[in-house]
Amino acid sequence: MRYLRPKSIPELQEILMKENGNDYSILAGGTDLMPRYRTGLQLPEIAIDIKILPGYCGISEENGSIEIGALVTIEDIRKNHLIQKDLPCLSQACHEFAGTQIRNRATIGGNICNASPAGDLLPGLYLYSAELQLISAFGSRKLPIEDFILGPGKTALKPGEILVSIHLKNQFDNSRFYKLGLRQSMAISVINYAMGWSVVEKSISKLAIMAGSVAPTIVSLDGCCKSFLAMENDESIAENIAKDIFPIDDIRATAKYRQQVLKNLILHDLRKFPG
Amino acid sequence: MIKVTLNINDFDRTLLVEPDENLLYTLRERLLLTGTKKGCDQASCGTCTVLMDKKPILSCITPTLRCEGKSIHTIESVAKNGKLHPIQDQLVKHGGLQCGFCTPGFVMTSIEFLEENKNPTESEIKEALSGNLCRCTGYKKIIEAVKAASEDMK
């Protein structure tokens, strides 16, 4: 393995141009790449370490929109008051994210670019309509997260392009994140979801649910939300949940279990709402 | 091999390391600091925890080359002049270990946690230690020891 450590964005862009077509991996926190490397599963020929790049490691607010640098660690997001106040799903997901040692190294950019169907930050990022800022030697562009994540481990990143920041806006009065794992910590989610809602005159005016680990990418349970807002009964809400998800059997759970438990949890949540 | 300089337990060390070498290997095999244990070697168990710039990290998934210029503290730096750190002292008093293999990791994670949180609740302690596994005795006595150490450190 060759190890490269650019000290500036232009230097990084030069490396990316030169290594275009070669087997490289970008190393941010390294908490996913390194265990895979240790167990001999995936060996990129070249590791490009971007952790010391200046910038991209802060959290700021402008005009009601929050910007998070791609190199911000999970622990920094967990402790950030702005995020606790305005983006509770992210804050909650960071509390349930692995353990302290991993949270100190893992980055939000890494969690997104990994594009795991079970990524714990992802449902919240979808709920808060995350827009991702990408740069390359040829310029920059912004993509909504649902256009960026294409499937397990697949993103819309072009060769030579990197993710530098995430822009978020919470359009809900309330939101929460829920994770079901086989144990409370250090566990990959069996299912997870983020739910956002607003209340007008004691009834739900707006509702969205983003579910993870039940399809190749995060899915928005639109049918279920519409069905709830139209005051349909539990059976048709459950049917609509089933229509939107495509769970699989894996080492953590069966598809059947995932489908049943997601229905149960969401119906349980919805019953607590007024109206 | 590549030259790297890092500060380990308050001493600057310059070493030649392999590009894919992890900090755990460098500590144990090159510097003979074997207090840091190798457990799963794939970021699941927490026994290889050390402090990098005062924050707990897993040395098994940290390439040594990424530690250039960083300060690393291992379990060997914790007791000062033969006197145990309060968390070590309380682990002994509470019997918070049996085989002791996971203990260095628990101590390193707890040290930073107690610096940040002077008055931790049980659930905060559990959350802080959630990345460390113990396969002998369970967690009750470890949690009690951390709580008692927080009182000692006031």
Side-chain angles (χ1 to χ4, degrees), chain A residues 28 37 49 78 95 100-101 104, chain B residues 20 49 56 66 127-128 130 132:
Chain A
Y37 182 59
D49 185 349
R78 190 179 79 96
H95 274 276
T100 315
Q101 299 93 324
N104 274 329
Chain B
D20 62 349
T49 302
R66 302 193 91 184
E127 190 179 317
S130 62
N132 291 80

Side-chain angles (χ1 to χ4, degrees), chain A residues 1 3 5 27-29 31 34-35 37-39 49 51 78-79 95 98 100-102 104-105 183 185-186, chain B residues 20 22 41-44 49 52 55-58 60-61 63 65-66 68 109 116 127-128 130 132-133:
Chain A
M1 185 172 82
Y3 174 81
R5 204 178 195 208
L27 196 57
T31 55
M34 292 314 293
Y37 182 59
R38 305 288 318 152
T39 47
D49 185 349
K51 190 88 178 190
R78 190 179 79 96
K79 286 183 182 158
H95 274 276
T100 315
Q101 299 93 324
I102 303 255
N104 274 329
R105 296 295 291 171
R183 67 193 284 274
S185 305
M186 295 298 292
Chain B
D20 62 349
N22 62 12
D41 208 19
Q42 46 178 285
S44 295
T49 302
M52 179 195 273
K55 286 184 181 170
I57 57 141
L58 299 173
C60 73
I61 54 162
L65 285 179
R66 302 193 91 184
E68 172 78 43
T109 310
E116 293 253 314
E127 190 179 317
S130 62
N132 291 80
L133 303 185

Side-chain angles (χ1 to χ4, degrees), chain A residues 4-261:
Chain A
L4 304 172
R5 204 178 195 208
K7 293 191 178 63
S8 65
I9 291 287
E11 198 186 330
L12 170 69
Q13 286 174 338
E14 202 176 300
I15 291 174
L16 291 173
M17 294 265 275
K18 213 174 89 190
E19 304 296 350
N20 191 359
N22 291 340
D23 176 26
Y24 70 78
S25 272
I26 302 271
L27 196 57
T31 55
D32 197 74
L33 186 70
M34 292 314 293
R36 273 191 274 159
Y37 182 59
R38 305 288 318 152
T39 47
L41 281 178
Q42 275 185 13
L43 305 158
E45 275 164 33
I46 307 153
I48 305 173
D49 185 349
I50 59 167
K51 190 88 178 190
I52 58 161
L53 285 180
Y56 312 123
C57 46
I59 299 171
S60 59
E61 186 183 15
E62 207 177 314
N63 306 327
S65 163
I66 293 179
E67 178 180 344
I68 306 177
L71 292 174
V72 175
T73 65
I74 307 301
E75 187 67 3
D76 287 340
I77 297 175
R78 190 179 79 96
K79 286 183 182 158
N80 187 281
H81 293 297
L82 195 60
I83 299 210
Q84 283 166 6
K85 183 168 69 75
D86 289 348
L87 307 173
C89 283
L90 277 199
S91 181
Q92 288 160 16
C94 290
H95 274 276
E96 308 213 14
F97 196 105
T100 315
Q101 299 93 324
I102 303 255
R103 288 199 294 263
N104 274 329
R105 296 295 291 171
T107 65
I108 182 170
N111 198 245
I112 296 171
C113 292
N114 238 347
S116 161
D120 277 336
L121 295 191
L122 302 182
L125 293 172
Y126 276 68
L127 188 74
Y128 301 138
S129 333
E131 297 227 301
L132 311 182
Q133 185 72 49
L134 314 174
I135 62 161
S136 74
F138 306 106
S140 68
R141 59 180 179 139
K142 226 176 190 181
L143 269 188
I145 192 162
E146 60 270 25
D147 294 340
F148 180 79
I149 297 180
L150 306 176
K154 281 201 193 98
T155 66
L157 272 183
K158 290 181 185 154
E161 204 170 37
I162 61 161
L163 165 65
V164 289
S165 62
I166 298 102
H167 301 257
L168 300 149
K169 206 165 187 154
N170 183 357
Q171 291 164 352
F172 300 92
D173 296 338
N174 310 283
S175 52
R176 67 183 279 271
F177 172 77
Y178 186 85
K179 166 174 177 170
L180 176 75
L182 297 182
R183 67 193 284 274
Q184 211 170 354
S185 305
M186 295 298 292
I188 295 172
S189 290
V190 168
I191 60 157
N192 56 18
Y193 60 87
M195 186 183 249
W197 68 97
S198 298
V199 182
V200 176
E201 289 170 4
K202 290 186 181 171
S203 70
I204 304 287
S205 59
K206 199 162 143 188
L207 174 69
I209 304 169
M210 305 292 168
S213 272
V214 288
T217 63
I218 306 299
V219 286
S220 175
L221 302 178
D222 294 336
C224 150
C225 295
K226 265 189 208 135
S227 174
F228 176 79
L229 292 174
M231 292 197 258
E232 289 173 17
N233 61 18
D234 282 3
E235 285 74 31
S236 66
I237 293 174
E239 262 173 44
N240 279 305
I241 294 174
K243 269 184 214 157
D244 281 335
I245 63 175
F246 308 93
I248 55 164
D249 293 340
D250 69 10
I251 52 165
R252 284 176 285 282
T254 60
K256 203 175 157 198
Y257 175 77
R258 286 191 161 96
Q259 190 169 93
Q260 189 62 50
V261 83

